Amino acid sequence: QEDHRLNPNSAGAGTDRGSTPGAFRTLVVQQTSLDPPRETWSKKMDFLLSVIGYAVDLGNVWRFPYVCYQNGGGAFLLPYLLMAVFGGVPLFYMELALGQFHRSGCISIWKHICPIFKGIGFAICIIALYIAFYYNTIMAWALYYLLSSFRATLPWTTCNNKWNTPNCTHYLSTDFNVSWTDNSISPAEEFYIRQVLQVHLSPGLHQLGWVSWQLALCLLFIFTVVYFSIWKGVKTSGKVVWVTATFPYLVLLILLIRGATLPGAWRGVVFYLKPDWRKLLTTSVWLDAAAQIFFSLGPGFGVLLAFASYNPFHNNCYKDALVTSSVNCLTSFLSGFVIFTVLGYMAEMRQQGVETVAKDAGPSLLFIIYAEAIANMPAATFFSIIFFLMIIMLGLDSTVSLSCFLETLANEFSLNEFVFSLCLLSLLFLNLVKCIVNSTMCTKSVCKIRAGTTRFCNDVQLMLGFAPGVFWRVCWVAICPCFLLFIIGSFLAFPPEVRLFDYLYPFWTTVLGYCIGVSSFICVPSYMVYHLVTTKGTFKQRLLKSITPEASGSSGPQRDTIVITNAV
């Protein structure tokens, strides 16, 4: 409560008629905010590291190097940078500004933009949940490798284990009498396929077999770590990212220095950067560039909205967007050197071409090729421990999307104890199809862009003191929607082939993938119908109210409402 002496000459000053002229009363005022107080970052660096940790994920380490060399090497950097400048960075900036201005999560923010599109927020939460399941599974594999690394001889370097086959070819850098043939299988590949995933125990998805108790325990531990990383909101996660966001850069630097000193490293670097300008004439290169930059920066997933909502109102989110997106792109480029110096070393050892060694992308690049290369290095145990610890850190940062999902539901429904229950429930899931879900995420971003660009620019000017320039307006209105529709159309026209090594997944798994995508997107039209049905008035009145933004009680400099609760 605050005591205010009111000036007798001001409006509303209540003087005592029976008292001495000039005397005045004391008005006791309690200042009450209509909205609950919003948490804020303890330090500006907590926010920056959280955004960098979210944007820099596993895709930077395994996907960008593979996509780069597959699409023309150094020539791929041209479409990649163009897609970043005209598509990825404007979306990144837009989402940070929206979250900071309205100080809301991905569900409640829509009442300030266009209430009938609130279903997009629920769709974002579903996709965030899917992505968390996906990344936590990868982290569980990395944890299994990390625990297996604490021994003098790494288990994926020998062929005398119970999971090995006669085709296992054991060799080290000192084994000059061992030749690599087309039938050879490395110990690292058999460890990943037959010991970790145990693929050989199942004939296919129609008969999955028993759950691996080792991986189940690893997954339980990962979800426990995630829970304690976010259970107190940004006060906890803001401290965790000081380790999880900086440690990967230290490890990448160590691995880069070590990889550059390996024999044959130059072969990998040349293969990585050698430009093939003819590739730029194919549509697939531009599609891969657009998809890579979009899924790397991660706009549309609601995480950037959640992070920015804890910033001070006048924080310069424009500068933050430029810095963090630049760091993300440079990290992808740096990861290419780290990966391809090692691939060049592997090609030198096997006396094969780099393109043969680097034929597989995705998890196999990390858990087979890179694991095998580490095993052949001096001090293999040390490098194996720090590498797989880095993978866990990268995945842990990206799993903050689960934190966004929980924080949004907590704000919307006051589910304070929902975190622990969901982490236990999530153990029922091991993996989900990701590509189709990501394509629906692009649709959500298109809806965001079209929801009032002019008013959004005015809000940014109120918040930062300057309005977005013509370049940003053109990108938001015209270029970004075309950028996202290009990705959506390409995914629908050319669905990705689902394959694990020699096993081609049956057609019904592709149908399941589309169903997973629809399970999120269906929230948008479903909520539209629900909102129109539950709103009172005629159909025209309901429609008008559904597209009219509500007054933001927590936006702008004036966030508090003065309510007179007692007067003496």
Side-chain angles (χ1 to χ4, degrees), residues 68-69 72-77 267-276 333 337 340:
C68 184
Y69 98 80
F76 176 75
L77 297 179
R267 295 178 57 186
V269 174
V270 170
F271 186 81
Y272 173 48
L273 295 179
K274 184 180 179 180
D276 184 1
F333 189 61
F337 287 99
F340 274 89

Side-chain angles (χ1 to χ4, degrees), residues 270-292:
V270 170
F271 186 81
Y272 173 48
L273 295 179
K274 184 180 179 180
D276 184 1
W277 301 107
R278 294 172 301 177
K279 290 276 190 177
L280 298 183
L281 300 178
T282 60
T283 307
S284 60
V285 172
W286 296 88
L287 169 62
D288 286 342
Q292 175 63 31

Side-chain angles (χ1 to χ4, degrees), residues 113-125:
I113 301 176
C114 188
I116 199 172
F117 283 112
K118 191 175 181 179
I120 296 177
F122 292 103
I124 289 174
C125 290

Side-chain angles (χ1 to χ4, degrees), residues 170-232:
H170 170 263
Y171 72 97
L172 295 173
S173 55
T174 55
D175 297 333
F176 298 103
N177 59 337
V178 177
S179 60
W180 188 266
T181 65
D182 293 337
N183 295 326
S184 299
I185 301 178
S186 67
E189 182 174 346
E190 291 200 342
F191 178 80
Y192 176 65
I193 297 176
R194 300 176 62 86
Q195 174 63 10
V196 180
L197 302 184
Q198 300 180 9
V199 176
H200 65 291
L201 299 180
S202 172
L205 289 181
H206 61 279
Q207 186 178 344
L208 293 177
W210 295 98
V211 174
S212 172
W213 65 269
Q214 298 96 328
L215 289 181
L217 289 179
C218 289
L219 194 60
L220 173 62
F221 180 80
I222 291 297
F223 269 104
T224 304
V225 171
V226 171
Y227 167 69
F228 283 107
S229 298
I230 64 178
W231 71 319
K232 289 188 177 180

Side-chain angles (χ1 to χ4, degrees), residues 61-73:
V61 176
W62 82 42
R63 192 175 190 273
F64 178 83
Y66 174 82
V67 172
C68 184
Y69 98 80
Q70 190 182 46
N71 291 283

Side-chain angles (χ1 to χ4, degrees), residues 161-174:
N161 303 289
K162 61 180 181 179
W163 60 80
N164 292 126
T165 65
N167 290 329
C168 180
T169 304
H170 170 263
Y171 72 97
L172 295 173
S173 55
T174 55

Side-chain angles (χ1 to χ4, degrees), residues 139-413:
M139 284 191 289
W141 296 347
L143 178 61
Y144 189 93
Y145 271 81
L146 177 64
L147 298 176
S148 301
S149 301
F150 288 94
R151 57 185 69 184
T153 302
L154 297 177
W156 55 87
T157 60
T158 60
C159 289
N160 55 357
N161 303 289
K162 61 180 181 179
W163 60 80
N164 292 126
T165 65
N167 290 329
C168 180
T169 304
H170 170 263
Y171 72 97
L172 295 173
S173 55
T174 55
D175 297 333
F176 298 103
N177 59 337
V178 177
S179 60
W180 188 266
T181 65
D182 293 337
N183 295 326
S184 299
I185 301 178
S186 67
E189 182 174 346
E190 291 200 342
F191 178 80
Y192 176 65
I193 297 176
R194 300 176 62 86
Q195 174 63 10
V196 180
L197 302 184
Q198 300 180 9
V199 176
H200 65 291
L201 299 180
S202 172
L205 289 181
H206 61 279
Q207 186 178 344
L208 293 177
W210 295 98
V211 174
S212 172
W213 65 269
Q214 298 96 328
L215 289 181
L217 289 179
C218 289
L219 194 60
L220 173 62
F221 180 80
I222 291 297
F223 269 104
T224 304
V225 171
V226 171
Y227 167 69
F228 283 107
S229 298
I230 64 178
W231 71 319
K232 289 188 177 180
V234 296
K235 299 299 182 183
T236 303
S237 60
K239 300 298 181 293
V240 173
V241 293
W242 281 85
V243 177
T244 59
T246 57
F247 181 76
Y249 285 96
L250 176 62
V251 176
L252 285 175
L253 181 61
I254 294 174
L255 294 176
L256 177 61
I257 296 174
R258 183 68 187 100
T261 60
L262 294 172
W266 64 272
R267 295 178 57 186
V269 174
V270 170
F271 186 81
Y272 173 48
L273 295 179
K274 184 180 179 180
D276 184 1
W277 301 107
R278 294 172 301 177
K279 290 276 190 177
L280 298 183
L281 300 178
T282 60
T283 307
S284 60
V285 172
W286 296 88
L287 169 62
D288 286 342
Q292 175 63 31
I293 196 65
F294 178 79
F295 298 132
S296 179
L297 291 177
F301 289 89
V303 179
L304 299 176
L305 273 175
F307 283 163
S309 68
Y310 301 111
N311 278 334
F313 181 74
H314 294 291
N315 174 65
N316 192 344
C317 59
Y318 171 71
K319 181 179 178 181
D320 295 342
L322 295 180
V323 170
T324 52
S325 56
S326 299
V327 169
N328 175 75
C329 295
L330 291 175
T331 303
S332 298
F333 189 61
L334 173 66
S335 300
F337 287 99
V338 175
I339 294 296
F340 274 89
T341 53
V342 173
L343 293 180
Y345 168 63
M346 292 297 300
E348 185 81 9
M349 287 182 54
R350 293 185 180 183
Q351 297 182 352
Q352 292 180 321
V354 180
E355 67 279 1
T356 304
V357 178
K359 62 182 179 179
D360 293 323
S364 61
L365 181 63
L366 300 180
F367 296 108
I368 297 179
I369 302 298
Y370 213 91
E372 181 181 352
I374 289 176
N376 285 276
M377 294 180 185
T381 299
F382 167 74
F383 285 108
S384 179
I385 290 173
I386 64 171
F387 176 73
F388 290 110
L389 190 59
M390 177 192 72
I391 298 301
I392 295 175
M393 296 294 184
L394 290 172
L396 187 61
D397 281 331
S398 299
T399 313
V400 176
S401 57
L402 176 62
S403 173
C404 161
F405 166 73
L406 297 173
E407 182 68 21
T408 301
L409 286 183
N411 291 340
E412 190 72 16
F413 302 111

